[in-house]
Amino acid sequence: MAKYVTVILIYLLSTGIAHGQDSKIIDSLVHELPGQKEDTVKAHLLYELGNSYFSFNNDSALYWLVRSLQLSQDLEYNEGIRKSLKKIGRTHEENGNFKEALTFYKRLLAFMEADTSNLEAAYLYTDIGTVY
């Protein structure tokens, strides 16, 4: 019994520490945003903010990821578009919004088939299969 309590306590403490580390990362990323030009660096910062929120606040993750996607599309920044579409799909999947997840995965698939290697598309087919 004591072993189980110890394991649970370690888990709770480690998730709290991880959340605290995420908070510090988020604070530093938010601090960087105001002075940024509308460029790929800012798109990457927005993506990293969304990615940082992913593990504990999916609504905030979606907010930042959608902003990253919009800026990446405006800049025609393909890497930012790919990463944002995939993470938005994963976030919807984590929330149980499988229809939305599939919508973003299909958008990403269409984008990747026109732009990148078949290996990335193969990984995406795995994500789509998981949703089904």
Side-chain angles (χ1 to χ4, degrees):
M1 179 71 168
K3 204 184 276 188
Y4 293 114
V5 172
T6 303
V7 169
I8 291 171
L9 184 59
I10 290 171
Y11 172 76
L12 292 174
L13 287 173
S14 67
T15 56
I17 291 168
H19 178 68
Q21 290 172 340
D22 286 339
S23 274
K24 290 177 185 175
I25 292 169
I26 289 167
D27 289 344
S28 68
L29 291 170
V30 168
H31 180 73
E32 292 292 321
L33 273 179
Q36 289 295 321
K37 297 183 295 184
E38 299 289 305
D39 61 6
T40 58
V41 173
K42 185 171 185 175
H44 184 71
L45 281 173
L46 293 167
Y47 173 81
E48 287 301 326
L49 267 166
N51 195 41
S52 296
Y53 274 109
F54 177 76
S55 62
F56 65 93
N57 187 334
N58 286 341
D59 290 337
S60 293
L62 284 172
Y63 172 79
W64 294 109
L65 292 167
V66 167
R67 287 187 61 194
S68 174
L69 176 60
Q70 291 168 338
L71 181 57
S72 295
Q73 288 172 327
D74 290 346
L75 298 170
E76 298 179 3
Y77 175 43
N78 291 344
E79 180 181 349
I81 294 168
R82 270 194 313 275
K83 288 169 59 175
S84 296
L85 284 171
K86 182 166 178 104
K87 197 66 169 189
I88 291 169
R90 290 268 304 135
T91 305
H92 282 299
E93 185 179 345
E94 285 292 314
N95 284 340
N97 300 328
F98 300 116
K99 187 175 180 178
E100 283 295 310
L102 201 51
T103 298
F104 281 92
Y105 286 155
K106 286 180 178 180
R107 282 179 60 188
L108 176 57
L109 186 59
F111 180 79
M112 287 173 30
E113 286 175 341
D115 184 57
T116 63
S117 75
N118 290 331
L119 181 59
E120 288 184 63
Y123 290 131
L124 184 57
Y125 277 119
T126 302
D127 290 336
I128 291 171
T130 302
V131 170
Y132 277 111

